[in-house]
Amino acid sequence: MAENRPTGKDRIVGKRKPDLGSPMGMGKLPPQAIDLEEAVLGALMLEKDALTAVVDILKPESFYKEAHKVIFSAILDLFSDSQPIDLLTVTNQLRKKGQLEMAGGAFFITELTSKVSSAANIEFHARIITEQSMKREIISISSEIQREAFEDTTDVFELLDKMEQSLFEISEKNIRKNYSDMRSILKEAIVELESKKGQKDGLTGVPSGFTALDRVTSGWQKSDLVIIAARPAMGKTAFVLTVLRNAAVDHNRPVAIFSLEMSSIQLVNRLISSEAELDSEKIKKGNLAEHEWQQLVYKTGNLSKAPLFVDDTPALSILELRAKCRKLKAQHDIQMIVVDYLQLMSGDSKSGGGGNREQEIASISRALKKIAKELSVPVIALSQLSRAVETRGGDKRPQLSDLRESGAIEQDADMVMFLYRPEYYGITEDEDGASTAGVGEVIIAKHRNGSLDTVKLRFIGKYTKFTDLEMNIPYKPQDALYGSKFPSSAGGQDFDSSNMIRVQSKANGGDFDEPFPGGAGSGESAPF
């Protein structure tokens, strides 16, 4: 018997010609479950309550076969109008919409009810249909991404963001949270309360490090967009750097700052000045004495180990920010994100090109809220205030209407905080007659999940830092003395301090009643 070998034009070098009669010869089919689609549609027309089990799982586009999409849409229309769902009503609804032939005709619909005897496993079948639909969407996105990747004109960062966003939308659209009964919710709430019981000061979010502020906010909360606004020179950057430092150094929380205004070196110099308590002007000029170099090295040891990430990309777009935040979350599990500051960002090229600046800022603030919700972390964005503050009379305290360029910032934010320093405007005393020297106010003007309040902090400009306001310690600008010898503020002469120590403030866990070596019981005060 002669061998059945391909000859002539049918011969393929090294391979046999594919058998077009076999499934392999036809190529790949998209993921589908036609038999289950038929079973689900049949069950929906057999039992009147079957749709309630799958209405939040299935959508018309979940079905692979076009006729099945049309039939399911008709079933949803009946359900929306509180009409009964069975073979006759579905057929009549399709006839009214002129889609009966598109659905395969009355005989095809009748056949669907014979594919299944009951709706016992309809929810399980519906989930399989949804999984196949998700696979098809992933394949479609992959094909589109591959096609655009070959185009020379494609912006790779926009393409990456588009891919990430598309995949995220698939999961958000198809994986929905189901309802829970009170018994299970109550159990979860009690477990959460028990876990909070051991937390210091009742903090449920990322600590700010300021006792009075954390008492109001319970820490920076997950998924919150926090806007911190102020006029220039009020200390916005100093405030958020102190917040970042407290979270990263004192509580070992991974945090990130995107600085559009200052370089990473400038930010680190500020952190060094704050941590080592060295004059920021000396840090800028590098004019440090020997003991100050020792102080710098000694005090910044913990800072170098802190999980604090700095990105100083100029004119950062929201696309780049989203991609970088996702990467930081995946690699380092960051717990808080800071943007310094919002008005320096650029929106998406598609949304920002045709609109005005107000629309662009609105799109940026919405995108920041989406990032906070998507990554489940607090996002703190700094914002400038309009000049209306300066022209207004009185104490010039900022208000929500002063937010610059867009009212959408106020709308999107879960919390709006203003920084205000009365002494900047020449106000030397507050309404109670207390001195305002070195006092900074954090005015909580909007708090979606809490109360409104004003928190007073100590602002130390020479060290570019904020601390808790200790009412029993007078403010002095030379409160960072360290080393065996340092200048005397009185006579300009050096004096020995070997018998003195610098007591930590209560903000850092210190105790003001700690005795000084060689001075216990003498009534001498600490060298602040």
Side-chain angles (χ1 to χ4, degrees):
M1 181 182 291
E3 291 187 31
N4 184 18
R5 293 181 177 176
T7 58
K9 65 179 181 179
D10 291 337
R11 187 182 297 277
I12 300 176
V13 178
K15 295 182 180 179
R16 289 182 179 273
K17 183 177 180 180
D19 182 5
L20 298 180
S22 67
M24 291 299 293
M26 297 297 290
K28 293 182 179 180
L29 290 173
Q32 55 188 282
I34 300 295
D35 52 343
L36 292 181
E37 291 181 8
E38 293 174 345
V40 166
L41 292 173
L44 290 175
M45 290 184 285
L46 282 178
E47 297 188 16
K48 63 176 183 178
D49 296 327
L51 184 59
T52 58
V54 299
V55 70
D56 60 338
I57 301 173
L58 291 176
K59 298 177 290 296
E61 56 267 26
S62 300
F63 293 84
Y64 176 71
K65 197 171 180 180
E66 193 64 36
H68 295 167
K69 293 180 183 179
V70 175
I71 294 170
F72 188 71
S73 294
I75 291 173
L76 288 180
D77 290 340
L78 292 170
F79 181 76
S80 299
D81 295 336
S82 300
Q83 299 295 320
I85 300 170
D86 56 33
L87 175 64
L88 295 177
T89 57
V90 171
T91 304
N92 186 56
Q93 178 69 14
L94 288 167
R95 187 178 287 113
K96 282 168 56 179
K97 295 172 67 176
Q99 296 178 335
L100 185 59
E101 294 304 317
M102 190 186 302
F107 180 73
F108 176 75
I109 298 171
T110 303
E111 275 192 321
L112 290 176
T113 57
S114 65
K115 301 284 184 180
V116 66
S117 57
S118 74
N121 300 316
I122 189 170
E123 186 173 348
F124 180 75
H125 294 161
R127 294 194 183 279
I128 295 176
I129 293 171
T130 299
E131 289 175 8
Q132 300 304 311
S133 172
M134 291 173 68
K135 288 181 180 179
R136 292 196 299 272
E137 286 188 74
I138 292 171
I139 291 171
S140 175
I141 291 169
S142 302
S143 300
E144 186 178 354
I145 294 296
Q146 185 180 30
R147 177 181 57 79
E148 292 189 21
F150 277 105
E151 297 290 336
D152 294 333
T153 57
T154 300
D155 185 297
V156 67
F157 296 106
E158 288 188 6
L159 187 61
L160 279 171
D161 182 77
K162 180 180 179 181
M163 178 176 65
E164 290 176 350
Q165 190 66 27
S166 299
L167 292 174
F168 179 72
E169 285 174 359
I170 290 176
S171 62
E172 282 288 290
K173 186 169 55 177
N174 294 284
I175 304 174
R176 295 187 179 272
K177 184 179 178 182
N178 204 355
Y179 64 85
S180 302
D181 59 84
M182 181 53 68
R183 182 185 180 89
S184 59
I185 297 173
L186 191 60
K187 184 178 179 181
E188 287 181 19
I190 291 172
V191 170
E192 186 174 337
L193 284 173
E194 287 177 347
S195 67
K196 290 177 181 177
K197 184 173 63 176
Q199 293 177 353
K200 185 180 179 181
D201 299 326
L203 292 177
T204 57
V206 179
S208 71
F210 303 121
T211 307
L213 185 59
D214 284 337
R215 193 177 293 120
V216 178
T217 65
S218 297
W220 310 110
Q221 300 297 315
K222 293 180 179 179
S223 303
D224 274 5
L225 172 60
V226 181
I227 299 295
I228 298 176
R231 288 294 294 156
M234 286 293 161
K236 294 188 299 296
T237 304
F239 178 79
V240 294
L241 282 179
T242 306
V243 165
L244 287 169
R245 181 263 167 212
N246 292 342
V249 177
D250 294 341
H251 301 277
N252 199 35
R253 301 289 188 97
V255 293
I257 178 170
F258 293 87
S259 176
L260 290 82
E261 187 177 30
M262 302 173 66
S263 70
S264 57
I265 297 297
Q266 288 174 319
L267 284 179
V268 170
N269 283 341
R270 283 196 171 203
L271 283 170
I272 291 172
S273 173
S274 171
E275 190 72 10
E277 295 190 327
L278 293 170
D279 195 324
S280 57
E281 287 297 319
K282 287 188 175 183
I283 296 288
K284 185 164 64 175
K285 296 174 182 177
N287 186 21
L288 299 178
E290 183 61 32
H291 72 271
E292 289 174 326
W293 281 109
Q294 295 174 7
Q295 177 178 342
L296 186 151
V297 173
Y298 176 76
K299 288 286 192 75
T300 56
N302 290 333
L303 191 62
S304 64
K305 303 171 188 174
L308 202 164
F309 305 93
V310 180
D311 187 306
D312 61 356
T313 305
L316 187 69
S317 72
I318 201 65
L319 296 177
E320 293 172 303
L321 177 68
R322 190 185 295 126
K324 289 182 177 186
C325 288
R326 286 173 182 154
K327 185 176 180 181
L328 282 167
K329 183 65 176 177
Q331 294 182 350
H332 303 287
D333 191 27
I334 54 171
Q335 302 294 305
M336 182 167 63
I337 296 166
V338 172
V339 177
D340 182 14
Y341 60 90
L342 190 148
Q343 278 82 7
L344 290 179
M345 291 192 68
S346 59
D348 297 350
S349 57
K350 294 179 182 178
S351 61
N356 57 31
R357 180 59 177 164
E358 184 174 342
Q359 292 172 337
E360 187 177 10
I361 291 294
S363 70
I364 291 171
S365 67
R366 282 194 299 270
L368 290 176
K369 176 59 183 176
K370 287 180 182 178
I371 291 172
K373 194 171 181 181
E374 177 185 335
L375 301 182
S376 189
V377 299
V379 173
I380 300 176
L382 304 190
S383 176
Q384 291 282 19
L385 291 177
S386 68
R387 291 190 179 91
V389 177
E390 310 295 337
T391 59
R392 194 163 53 235
D395 57 13
K396 302 186 187 299
R397 271 186 170 80
Q399 52 196 29
L400 288 172
S401 59
D402 296 326
L403 284 171
R404 186 174 169 184
E405 289 183 311
S406 178
I409 299 176
E410 175 189 345
Q411 178 183 329
D412 296 328
D414 297 281
M415 191 184 302
V416 177
M417 308 170 76
F418 297 120
L419 294 183
Y420 170 71
R421 292 194 295 115
E423 66 174 337
Y424 179 83
Y425 295 106
I427 301 172
T428 57
E429 292 183 352
D430 61 16
E431 56 273 11
D432 298 324
S435 173
T436 61
V439 174
E441 296 182 10
V442 179
I443 304 168
I444 304 175
K446 178 186 178 182
H447 194 184
R448 186 166 285 159
N449 303 308
S451 60
L452 306 181
D453 205 347
T454 296
V455 175
K456 291 185 178 182
L457 301 175
R458 175 73 68 202
F459 176 67
I460 309 175
K462 65 187 296 185
Y463 304 138
T464 59
K465 68 186 290 188
F466 282 83
T467 64
D468 276 337
L469 183 66
E470 299 293 346
M471 300 308 294
N472 59 334
I473 297 183
Y475 170 74
K476 295 181 182 179
Q478 68 275 15
D479 69 343
L481 305 180
Y482 179 91
S484 59
K485 286 180 179 287
F486 41 84
S488 166
S489 59
Q493 297 177 353
D494 290 345
F495 64 93
D496 188 80
S497 64
S498 57
N499 291 326
M500 293 187 180
I501 63 169
R502 187 176 191 281
V503 180
Q504 276 189 310
S505 72
K506 287 185 179 179
N508 296 322
D511 187 354
F512 286 107
D513 296 326
E514 182 178 348
F516 287 88
S522 63
E524 295 178 17
S525 60
F528 285 101

